[in-house]
Amino acid sequence: MYRVAIVGASGYTGGELLRILAVHPQVEVSVATSREYAGKFVYYAHPHLRGFYKLKFKKLDNPDQLSEVVGDVDLVFLALPHKVSLHYVPKALEIGLKVVDLSADYRLKRLEDYKIWYGYEHPYPDILEKAVYGIPELYSEKIKGAQLVANPGCNASSSILATVPVAAEGLIDLDHLVVDVKVGSSEAGAKPYRGGHHPEREGTARPYDASGHRHVAELEQVLREFTGRDVKVAFTPHAVSMIRGSLASAYSWLTRDVSELDVQRAYAKFYAKKPFVKIVRGAPMPYPDVKNVYGSNYAEVGFAVDKRVGRIAMFAAIDNLMKGAAGVAVQNMNLMLGLPEDEGLKYLVPVRP
Amino acid sequence: MYRVAIVGASGYTGGELLRILAVHPQVEVSVATSREYAGKFVYYAHPHLRGFYKLKFKKLDNPDQLSEVVGDVDLVFLALPHKVSLHYVPKALEIGLKVVDLSADYRLKRLEDYKIWYGYEHPYPDILEKAVYGIPELYSEKIKGAQLVANPGCNASSSILATVPVAAEGLIDLDHLVVDVKVGSSEAGAKPYRGGHHPEREGTARPYDASGHRHVAELEQVLREFTGRDVKVAFTPHAVSMIRGSLASAYSWLTRDVSELDVQRAYAKFYAKKPFVKIVRGAPMPYPDVKNVYGSNYAEVGFAVDKRVGRIAMFAAIDNLMKGAAGVAVQNMNLMLGLPEDEGLKYLVPVRP
Amino acid sequence: MYRVAIVGASGYTGGELLRILAVHPQVEVSVATSREYAGKFVYYAHPHLRGFYKLKFKKLDNPDQLSEVVGDVDLVFLALPHKVSLHYVPKALEIGLKVVDLSADYRLKRLEDYKIWYGYEHPYPDILEKAVYGIPELYSEKIKGAQLVANPGCNASSSILATVPVAAEGLIDLDHLVVDVKVGSSEAGAKPYRGGHHPEREGTARPYDASGHRHVAELEQVLREFTGRDVKVAFTPHAVSMIRGSLASAYSWLTRDVSELDVQRAYAKFYAKKPFVKIVRGAPMPYPDVKNVYGSNYAEVGFAVDKRVGRIAMFAAIDNLMKGAAGVAVQNMNLMLGLPEDEGLKYLVPVRP
Amino acid sequence: MYRVAIVGASGYTGGELLRILAVHPQVEVSVATSREYAGKFVYYAHPHLRGFYKLKFKKLDNPDQLSEVVGDVDLVFLALPHKVSLHYVPKALEIGLKVVDLSADYRLKRLEDYKIWYGYEHPYPDILEKAVYGIPELYSEKIKGAQLVANPGCNASSSILATVPVAAEGLIDLDHLVVDVKVGSSEAGAKPYRGGHHPEREGTARPYDASGHRHVAELEQVLREFTGRDVKVAFTPHAVSMIRGSLASAYSWLTRDVSELDVQRAYAKFYAKKPFVKIVRGAPMPYPDVKNVYGSNYAEVGFAVDKRVGRIAMFAAIDNLMKGAAGVAVQNMNLMLGLPEDEGLKYLVPVRP
């Protein structure tokens, strides 16, 4: 039985890690930290986990306490805010832990990108270089050997899963690529704020960060790697009226006269033997729907060609807390620990309706 | 007091017409027809209207009965299915009625478009020529003199309101125009069907008609008129988890180096003195939200420029049953009857939260 | 044109007062106060009201500033927290204003009840005596002559409207009266908090304050007045997954063998000529539904007799922000100012679906 | 590996059986029938199950085909409509299958109850006698030895779990027992109908069947068994705005001066070693919430005493499709097959938020 720690376990991502690992056959959570709930049982933050854990949240105030608080585990999940995780990662590596970092602090490869998107100078370029971006459908071999995995952003994940197979084949006009994401309220985390207050959020459909959203940097980085050229994406997330789900709708123009079958083959080849990607096509539902992956680590991927316009629409639907955060984090953990990629995740059949 | 009839009054659009006209100061509904509810009080179909009407639904089986059933009114709203309305319009005009037709049967100008988008040969090209497309923000003068107004589709309305002011100014690359619409469940009407069943629809976010949606023909027609050239739009509607609302998010690339202020001026000029369009910008909410227009005839219009990418996002949010159907139908009626454009509509302040 | 002020106008109740009064034919809002939004336009707090007001929020820090800030108005709405309103009321009366107080501070008649339910000694027993409890269906004559109206709690309103007509006729066993209320998220106000965070509140159905909720004191007070005896009610509110609405389901046992028609007559007699109460019975929907009154000042009232058990169920559905707060406040204002009871409210036809 | 069949597998209950059994370690579904989807893959009816089954729906038109279609399985789930299941049960027993019947046809013990509640004369009194009512928390020993288990109604289950432990101890006034249930839209099944159409159902809170709901017969039968006397319950279900969940709020008056601790002990004793019942009390959430059991087989049970009134409120929250239907059906199956009670169910940690 492997032992793991979750640092910052009282938020929604921490809660989902606890939910998944509560029934993981080969891993157990031996430490969960929370400053707000320190000393309380984990069900104080996550009432649905009553009965699944006897664990109490521990307090962890700074990276120097990591060794003492987290102790002797095999791997640590850092579910901390951006810029906070930044300094925990070096310490965790130093004491020999494998790390899955759920913040954005080690996702980007180019130092200058941290200044542009996050407004700080990255203090650990050496560690950055070793970090592996954690989308197993793209980088499973690297993840297996990694000490540090930077878990991706949820909207980046859906966008990447939708576009990369087609972009990598050179099928689309990379100078004109639009991504429109629809995302649920849990994306913003467990902390109450005005825009997430139920009467404000329910029934809404509105864009946000429309002049530039940080997750686009992850998408552009991956596209750069898979196409060998710089790509700038017109990216806009939207808050819609649901709790979970990230649906990426990407649009571009076809570079040549390809058939729908060609497109389908591109996806099928790319996602061959990937246990959590379902390519959706034809009856009964021709396109992905976030509802079909609710509560699970699965992604639905699909597309449509509008021949009249020469346009392709590429879609991916995920559960933002699962395949977009905690689910993929456990998938990464499995790879890092040498376990089967889907261990503890295949039980989580989507809940629908 | 003007008298109007509503043919096909048991659906959601008919219900909203009844709701609005129940308190219109200068118009009363003297006839409402429904085959399903014939002989029953209107509150059988619309329980919230109990107490507002003593009216019973009349039966109307075919266009020949129109004169007898509808009788002596000033204007008739046809809220009938596509292809059914087609044959009621000539009969209504023949007996001297002004007509607001809420179907798609007289919206398009080019005969060939009916074959392409609706699969039939239009039998009344002469009448088609006289029909005025009913978006008052674009065609108010024509509407004032019209005998027949073709009320626009809801997703066409939001898309047109978002894009035309900027397209007409030549600010965007018309060869690369994407429209991504998010729409509520009421758009599909009152008739139960599997995809609209509550357990199926609530919590969903999924594209539909992604290979080509009919409403794009209306948008392209208007863009052609305002830009003087053919435009093909990459258009994709999405079902999201709400009852009402159509949010159009349109994306294109700027043709030249324009400032955000230039864009704002283009909108401000276009919508000057238009009582139902609000240009949204800055605090407290920088972009349109369907929640802000719920239950009303207002449209919120806004935009964002992503300078890094050279991209502009253009947004419009409407209530699909109001500004997207019954509300704009009453606005058109007001103009046709010589009443103030906002008569009976300005009372309908949006309900939020 | 009458002029009114709204003190505490940035919350949901304040927002609804502004929405209603924006189109009231005989009343205008000349002052709106908010500490949080002082100096900002009212649409900062209420984005849907953009375009309806040029008004900016004023600052009002304590009762002594009332005269200066509120100035020369005919009536003031106090939409302040409990215990804060307490001290504004005497000051407002002193400077000659009519007052509709939306807090709980003047709702109860017995001094000891403030200790029991709100934990304080009421400092103004004289004023308390003059306050009229603001349910116009019960006390319209008193309200007409009142200087101070204590606007009822939303769950108290639905419970009172459901039960009093039947209780007053002696039809039910007052020793066994249960009230189970289902209420929307807006009831808790505009301030974000954990239980009202969208991911926490959407999809929920849970009781709260199950050992005793304050609104029961209002219900028991009214029942005492209408039955001439002390009544203790088993009262439990529930948070359910909607924004608006308060549905009271009250249960008791019939004292004698009454027919459904007898019950219906009791309601019909009690609510004769009450413009905002609809008695619901038979097709198409046999019982009240909050959906049928959404956004309006209407109440649906209905009942069912289970002969097998000898039980009667009494229901009332209201919009908690309207008939449960701002709507009834305007109805009270109309009566106090000598205007028609439904002035400015009859336009607000419920929005459904 | 045990093999089971699901007859009527295209509805929501059938879908949940398939979801659960897809990952059950000791049971596999070898046959699933559906008339509507006969010949199609199971994911046609259940798009989220794409990838989990290679199975196609088989056709089964009448009980005589049962042997041929279902073949050689260990147990059959009948997820058929009431009155249809009636005739499948004898046939299934005849060919030696164990049966979990999810209809109401074998739930009631007294023959006359079928006339009263379902309007038919029960044709198989002998089989009825052998049927065991399938609430394992009450009847696990009988279920272990049963050939036929009648799976309970969802609202009956929540009501029974809430009330029986306290009623059995003689703590409440059985002459005055009220049950008010709030239930999600999936309860009515997968077939579209007007009241379940998304625009009609979302945002609603309304009672239904308020003059007498069939599930009360199950509750009264169980209370009769556990108290030794006839009990008539005032029972009213309510449709609220969510997909899943059944929350029973039961109210009665205490027969003697018991402390909250006494009540808690009654529950604790009754549910000792019951793996799927959680007694909820104190921080962080003092009462059950359907949100805490979403997607799982768990039940939350709790209570509140209002000393002022002498009233007790008893609550139980379940997922109506899981603990209220398919989950408990698998729990019953486990017992009938001699497997651990929670086999295949403990993985299903509730999804929240």
Side-chain angles (χ1 to χ4, degrees):
Chain A
M1 206 70 173
Y2 289 98
R3 300 170 76 243
V4 301
I6 304 170
V7 172
S10 61
Y12 289 149
T13 306
E16 284 296 84
L17 285 170
L18 286 163
R19 177 173 78 95
I20 299 167
L21 296 174
V23 291
H24 194 291
Q26 302 200 45
V27 172
E28 67 174 10
V29 180
S30 54
V31 181
T33 81
S34 163
R35 292 167 69 162
E36 187 182 352
Y37 291 92
K40 296 212 166 78
F41 285 110
V42 298
Y43 74 77
Y44 265 70
H46 310 294
H48 59 307
L49 298 181
R50 207 189 282 245
F52 288 95
Y53 283 98
K54 295 210 184 305
L55 208 61
K56 284 183 181 173
F57 288 113
K58 284 191 177 172
K59 197 167 187 187
L60 175 60
D61 283 322
N62 60 62
D64 290 337
Q65 302 171 340
L66 197 61
S67 173
E68 187 196 328
V69 173
V70 165
D72 182 27
V73 299
D74 298 287
L75 182 144
V76 64
F77 294 98
L78 298 175
L80 294 167
H82 306 319
K83 283 194 184 169
V84 175
S85 209
L86 188 62
H87 303 292
Y88 278 83
V89 166
K91 191 55 83 175
L93 295 174
E94 193 187 310
I95 60 178
L97 302 179
K98 289 177 192 285
V99 179
V100 177
D101 178 29
L102 288 95
S103 84
D105 289 336
Y106 291 85
R107 290 179 193 157
L108 305 181
K109 288 292 163 203
R110 299 193 304 207
L111 285 168
E112 63 267 34
D113 282 340
Y114 285 92
K115 277 186 240 163
I116 296 169
W117 293 104
Y118 293 92
Y120 66 85
E121 190 101 23
H122 203 290
Y124 309 107
D126 292 358
I127 296 174
L128 202 57
E129 217 166 282
K130 292 177 206 151
V132 176
Y133 188 64
I135 298 201
E137 286 73 20
L138 277 63
Y139 304 109
S140 62
E141 286 311 310
K142 283 188 192 169
I143 293 166
K144 280 177 191 169
Q147 191 77 4
L148 167 62
V149 165
N151 217 55
C154 61
N155 294 332
S157 289
S158 55
S159 304
I160 288 166
L161 291 171
T163 57
V164 169
V166 182
E169 288 288 313
L171 301 181
I172 56 170
D173 174 5
L174 294 169
D175 291 324
H176 295 100
L177 177 55
V178 167
V179 177
D180 178 299
V181 175
K182 296 92 186 151
V183 71
S185 60
S186 61
E187 190 220 22
K191 199 175 167 190
Y193 69 107
R194 186 185 172 190
H197 193 42
H198 185 272
E200 304 290 326
R201 177 64 191 244
E202 182 63 15
T204 208
R206 62 170 183 254
Y208 65 95
D209 286 355
S211 302
H213 181 77
R214 291 164 168 185
H215 285 184
V216 76
E218 300 173 39
L219 170 61
E220 293 182 354
Q221 173 172 286
V222 170
L223 287 173
R224 196 164 57 237
E225 286 184 31
F226 278 81
T227 66
R229 51 158 286 189
D230 272 352
V231 183
K232 284 184 178 161
V233 182
F235 183 93
T236 312
H238 294 73
V240 294
S241 184
M242 59 190 185
I243 296 175
R244 289 176 176 231
S246 173
L247 173 70
S249 307
Y251 307 99
S252 187
W253 282 260
L254 291 166
T255 49
R256 47 191 163 90
D257 186 28
V258 293
S259 70
E260 296 217 332
L261 195 57
D262 295 333
V263 177
Q264 189 167 1
R265 276 184 192 133
Y267 281 110
K269 193 180 74 177
F270 199 93
Y271 293 126
K273 303 199 179 159
K274 302 298 175 192
F276 292 111
V277 177
K278 302 186 192 183
I279 300 170
V280 173
R281 190 114 180 91
M285 293 186 72
Y287 309 117
D289 187 345
V290 295
K291 204 170 170 61
N292 291 341
V293 295
Y294 192 94
S296 85
N297 195 48
Y298 293 88
E300 285 198 347
V301 172
F303 69 96
V305 171
D306 182 347
K307 279 178 195 283
R308 194 183 63 92
V309 184
R311 180 228 63 184
I312 181 169
M314 299 152 277
F315 306 110
I318 60 173
D319 180 321
N320 61 302
L321 291 179
M322 291 293 295
K323 187 65 182 160
V328 74
V330 170
Q331 192 180 352
N332 285 323
M333 175 204 76
N334 284 339
L335 293 170
M336 294 165 82
L337 295 178
L339 300 171
E341 186 172 353
D342 62 355
E343 192 76 335
L345 291 166
K346 62 191 168 198
Y347 302 116
L348 304 168
V349 183
V351 180
R352 181 189 190 277
Chain B
M1 206 73 172
Y2 289 98
R3 302 169 75 241
V4 301
I6 304 169
V7 172
S10 61
Y12 290 150
T13 307
E16 283 298 84
L17 285 170
L18 286 163
R19 178 174 77 96
I20 300 167
L21 296 174
V23 292
H24 194 292
Q26 303 199 45
V27 172
E28 66 174 11
V29 180
S30 53
V31 181
T33 81
S34 163
R35 291 168 69 162
E36 187 183 352
Y37 291 93
K40 295 214 167 78
F41 285 109
V42 297
Y43 76 77
Y44 265 71
H46 310 294
H48 59 308
L49 298 182
R50 207 190 282 245
F52 287 96
Y53 283 97
K54 295 211 183 303
L55 209 62
K56 284 182 181 172
F57 288 113
K58 284 190 178 173
K59 197 166 187 186
L60 175 60
D61 283 323
N62 61 64
D64 292 335
Q65 302 170 341
L66 196 61
S67 173
E68 187 196 327
V69 173
V70 165
D72 182 28
V73 299
D74 299 288
L75 182 144
V76 63
F77 293 98
L78 298 175
L80 295 167
H82 306 319
K83 283 195 184 168
V84 175
S85 210
L86 188 62
H87 303 293
Y88 278 83
V89 166
K91 191 55 84 176
L93 295 173
E94 191 188 310
I95 61 178
L97 303 179
K98 288 178 191 287
V99 179
V100 176
D101 178 30
L102 288 95
S103 84
D105 290 336
Y106 292 85
R107 290 179 193 158
L108 304 181
K109 288 293 163 203
R110 299 193 303 206
L111 286 169
E112 63 267 35
D113 281 342
Y114 285 92
K115 277 185 242 163
I116 297 169
W117 294 104
Y118 293 90
Y120 68 83
E121 189 102 23
H122 204 291
Y124 308 107
D126 292 358
I127 296 174
L128 201 59
E129 216 166 282
K130 292 177 203 150
V132 177
Y133 188 63
I135 298 200
E137 286 72 21
L138 276 65
Y139 304 109
S140 63
E141 286 310 311
K142 282 188 192 168
I143 293 166
K144 280 177 189 168
Q147 191 76 5
L148 168 61
V149 164
N151 217 55
C154 62
N155 295 333
S157 289
S158 56
S159 304
I160 288 166
L161 291 171
T163 57
V164 169
V166 182
E169 289 287 313
L171 301 181
I172 57 170
D173 173 5
L174 293 170
D175 291 325
H176 296 100
L177 177 56
V178 166
V179 178
D180 179 299
V181 175
K182 295 92 186 154
V183 71
S185 61
S186 60
E187 190 219 24
K191 199 175 166 188
Y193 69 107
R194 186 185 171 190
H197 193 43
H198 184 272
E200 303 291 326
R201 177 65 192 244
E202 182 62 15
T204 207
R206 61 170 183 254
Y208 65 96
D209 285 356
S211 302
H213 181 76
R214 292 165 168 184
H215 284 185
V216 76
E218 300 174 39
L219 170 61
E220 293 182 353
Q221 174 171 284
V222 169
L223 286 173
R224 196 164 58 236
E225 285 184 32
F226 277 82
T227 65
R229 51 158 286 189
D230 271 351
V231 183
K232 283 184 180 162
V233 182
F235 183 93
T236 312
H238 293 73
V240 294
S241 183
M242 60 189 182
I243 297 176
R244 290 177 176 230
S246 173
L247 173 70
S249 307
Y251 307 99
S252 187
W253 282 260
L254 291 166
T255 49
R256 46 190 162 91
D257 186 26
V258 293
S259 69
E260 297 217 331
L261 196 57
D262 295 333
V263 177
Q264 189 168 2
R265 277 186 192 131
Y267 281 110
K269 193 179 75 176
F270 198 93
Y271 291 127
K273 303 199 178 160
K274 302 298 174 191
F276 291 111
V277 177
K278 302 185 191 185
I279 301 169
V280 172
R281 191 113 181 92
M285 294 185 71
Y287 309 117
D289 187 345
V290 297
K291 205 170 167 62
N292 291 340
V293 296
Y294 191 94
S296 85
N297 196 47
Y298 292 88
E300 285 198 346
V301 171
F303 68 96
V305 171
D306 183 345
K307 277 179 196 285
R308 194 182 64 91
V309 183
R311 182 228 62 185
I312 181 169
M314 299 153 278
F315 305 110
I318 61 173
D319 181 322
N320 62 302
L321 291 179
M322 291 294 294
K323 187 66 182 161
V328 73
V330 171
Q331 191 181 351
N332 285 324
M333 175 204 76
N334 284 338
L335 292 170
M336 294 166 82
L337 296 177
L339 300 171
E341 187 172 353
D342 62 356
E343 192 75 335
L345 291 166
K346 61 192 167 196
Y347 302 115
L348 304 168
V349 183
V351 180
R352 181 190 191 275
Chain C
M1 204 73 171
Y2 289 97
R3 302 168 77 242
V4 302
I6 305 169
V7 171
S10 62
Y12 289 149
T13 307
E16 283 297 84
L17 286 170
L18 285 163
R19 178 174 78 96
I20 300 168
L21 296 174
V23 291
H24 193 291
Q26 302 201 47
V27 171
E28 67 174 11
V29 179
S30 54
V31 180
T33 80
S34 164
R35 292 168 69 161
E36 187 183 352
Y37 291 94
K40 296 215 167 76
F41 285 109
V42 297
Y43 75 76
Y44 264 71
H46 310 295
H48 60 307
L49 298 182
R50 208 189 282 244
F52 288 96
Y53 283 97
K54 294 211 184 304
L55 208 62
K56 284 181 180 172
F57 288 113
K58 285 191 177 171
K59 198 167 186 184
L60 175 60
D61 283 324
N62 61 63
D64 291 336
Q65 302 169 340
L66 196 62
S67 173
E68 188 195 328
V69 173
V70 165
D72 182 27
V73 299
D74 298 287
L75 182 144
V76 63
F77 294 98
L78 298 175
L80 295 167
H82 306 319
K83 282 196 185 168
V84 175
S85 210
L86 188 62
H87 303 291
Y88 278 83
V89 166
K91 190 55 84 174
L93 294 173
E94 190 187 312
I95 61 178
L97 302 179
K98 288 177 192 286
V99 179
V100 177
D101 178 30
L102 287 95
S103 84
D105 289 336
Y106 292 86
R107 289 180 194 157
L108 304 181
K109 289 293 162 203
R110 299 194 301 207
L111 286 169
E112 63 268 34
D113 281 341
Y114 285 92
K115 276 185 242 164
I116 297 169
W117 293 103
Y118 293 91
Y120 67 85
E121 188 102 23
H122 204 291
Y124 309 106
D126 292 358
I127 296 174
L128 201 58
E129 217 166 282
K130 291 176 205 150
V132 177
Y133 188 64
I135 297 201
E137 286 72 21
L138 277 64
Y139 304 109
S140 63
E141 287 311 311
K142 282 188 192 169
I143 293 166
K144 280 177 189 167
Q147 190 76 6
L148 167 62
V149 165
N151 218 54
C154 62
N155 294 333
S157 289
S158 56
S159 304
I160 288 167
L161 291 171
T163 55
V164 169
V166 183
E169 289 288 314
L171 302 181
I172 57 172
D173 173 4
L174 294 169
D175 291 324
H176 295 100
L177 176 56
V178 166
V179 178
D180 179 299
V181 175
K182 295 92 186 155
V183 71
S185 61
S186 60
E187 189 219 22
K191 198 174 168 189
Y193 69 107
R194 185 184 173 192
H197 193 43
H198 184 273
E200 303 291 327
R201 177 65 192 244
E202 182 63 15
T204 207
R206 62 172 183 253
Y208 65 96
D209 285 357
S211 302
H213 182 77
R214 291 164 169 186
H215 285 185
V216 76
E218 301 174 39
L219 169 61
E220 293 182 353
Q221 174 171 283
V222 169
L223 286 173
R224 196 165 57 236
E225 287 185 30
F226 278 81
T227 65
R229 53 158 284 189
D230 271 351
V231 183
K232 283 184 181 162
V233 182
F235 183 94
T236 312
H238 293 73
V240 293
S241 184
M242 61 189 182
I243 297 176
R244 289 176 176 230
S246 173
L247 173 69
S249 308
Y251 307 100
S252 187
W253 283 260
L254 291 166
T255 49
R256 46 192 161 93
D257 187 27
V258 292
S259 70
E260 295 216 331
L261 196 59
D262 294 333
V263 177
Q264 189 167 1
R265 275 184 193 134
Y267 281 110
K269 192 180 76 175
F270 199 92
Y271 292 127
K273 304 199 178 158
K274 302 299 174 191
F276 291 110
V277 177
K278 301 185 192 184
I279 300 169
V280 173
R281 190 112 182 91
M285 294 185 71
Y287 309 117
D289 186 345
V290 296
K291 204 170 170 62
N292 290 341
V293 296
Y294 192 94
S296 85
N297 195 49
Y298 292 88
E300 286 197 346
V301 171
F303 69 96
V305 171
D306 183 345
K307 278 179 195 283
R308 195 182 63 91
V309 184
R311 180 228 64 185
I312 181 169
M314 299 153 276
F315 306 109
I318 60 172
D319 180 321
N320 62 302
L321 291 179
M322 291 293 294
K323 187 65 181 161
V328 73
V330 170
Q331 191 180 352
N332 285 325
M333 175 204 77
N334 284 338
L335 292 170
M336 294 165 82
L337 296 178
L339 299 171
E341 186 172 353
D342 62 356
E343 193 76 335
L345 290 166
K346 62 191 166 197
Y347 302 116
L348 303 169
V349 184
V351 180
R352 179 188 192 278
Chain D
M1 206 73 171
Y2 289 98
R3 301 169 77 242
V4 301
I6 305 169
V7 172
S10 61
Y12 290 149
T13 305
E16 284 297 84
L17 285 170
L18 286 163
R19 178 173 78 96
I20 299 167
L21 296 175
V23 291
H24 194 290
Q26 303 200 47
V27 171
E28 67 176 9
V29 180
S30 53
V31 181
T33 81
S34 163
R35 292 167 69 162
E36 187 184 351
Y37 291 93
K40 296 214 167 75
F41 285 110
V42 297
Y43 75 77
Y44 265 70
H46 310 295
H48 59 307
L49 298 182
R50 208 190 282 245
F52 288 96
Y53 283 97
K54 295 209 185 305
L55 208 62
K56 284 182 181 172
F57 288 113
K58 285 191 177 172
K59 197 166 186 185
L60 175 59
D61 283 323
N62 61 63
D64 291 335
Q65 302 170 341
L66 197 61
S67 173
E68 186 197 328
V69 173
V70 165
D72 182 28
V73 298
D74 298 288
L75 181 145
V76 63
F77 294 99
L78 299 175
L80 295 167
H82 306 318
K83 283 195 184 169
V84 176
S85 210
L86 187 62
H87 303 291
Y88 279 82
V89 166
K91 189 59 80 174
L93 294 174
E94 191 187 310
I95 61 178
L97 303 179
K98 289 178 191 284
V99 180
V100 177
D101 178 29
L102 288 95
S103 83
D105 289 337
Y106 293 85
R107 290 180 193 156
L108 305 181
K109 289 291 163 204
R110 299 194 301 207
L111 285 169
E112 63 266 35
D113 281 341
Y114 285 93
K115 277 185 239 163
I116 296 168
W117 293 103
Y118 292 91
Y120 67 84
E121 189 101 23
H122 203 291
Y124 309 107
D126 292 357
I127 297 175
L128 202 57
E129 217 165 281
K130 293 178 206 149
V132 177
Y133 188 64
I135 298 199
E137 286 73 20
L138 277 63
Y139 304 109
S140 62
E141 286 311 310
K142 282 189 192 168
I143 294 166
K144 280 177 191 168
Q147 189 78 2
L148 167 62
V149 165
N151 217 54
C154 61
N155 295 332
S157 289
S158 55
S159 304
I160 288 166
L161 291 171
T163 56
V164 169
V166 183
E169 288 289 312
L171 301 181
I172 57 172
D173 173 4
L174 293 169
D175 291 324
H176 295 100
L177 176 56
V178 167
V179 177
D180 179 299
V181 175
K182 296 91 185 155
V183 71
S185 60
S186 61
E187 189 220 23
K191 198 174 167 190
Y193 70 106
R194 186 185 172 190
H197 194 40
H198 184 272
E200 303 292 325
R201 177 64 191 245
E202 182 64 15
T204 208
R206 61 170 184 254
Y208 66 95
D209 286 356
S211 303
H213 182 78
R214 291 164 169 185
H215 284 185
V216 77
E218 300 174 39
L219 170 60
E220 293 182 353
Q221 174 171 285
V222 170
L223 286 173
R224 196 165 56 237
E225 288 183 30
F226 278 82
T227 66
R229 52 159 284 188
D230 271 352
V231 184
K232 283 184 180 162
V233 182
F235 183 93
T236 312
H238 293 73
V240 294
S241 185
M242 60 190 184
I243 296 176
R244 287 176 178 233
S246 173
L247 173 70
S249 307
Y251 307 99
S252 187
W253 283 259
L254 292 166
T255 49
R256 45 190 164 92
D257 186 28
V258 293
S259 69
E260 297 217 331
L261 196 57
D262 294 334
V263 177
Q264 190 168 2
R265 274 184 194 135
Y267 281 110
K269 192 180 75 177
F270 199 93
Y271 292 127
K273 303 199 178 160
K274 302 298 174 191
F276 292 110
V277 177
K278 302 185 191 184
I279 300 170
V280 173
R281 190 113 179 92
M285 294 185 71
Y287 310 117
D289 187 345
V290 295
K291 205 170 170 60
N292 290 342
V293 295
Y294 192 95
S296 85
N297 195 48
Y298 292 89
E300 285 198 347
V301 171
F303 68 95
V305 171
D306 183 345
K307 279 180 194 285
R308 195 183 62 92
V309 183
R311 179 227 66 184
I312 181 170
M314 299 152 276
F315 306 110
I318 60 173
D319 180 321
N320 61 303
L321 292 179
M322 291 294 294
K323 187 65 181 161
V328 73
V330 171
Q331 192 180 351
N332 285 325
M333 175 204 76
N334 285 337
L335 292 170
M336 293 165 82
L337 296 177
L339 299 171
E341 186 172 354
D342 61 356
E343 192 76 334
L345 291 166
K346 62 192 167 198
Y347 301 116
L348 303 168
V349 183
V351 180
R352 181 190 191 275

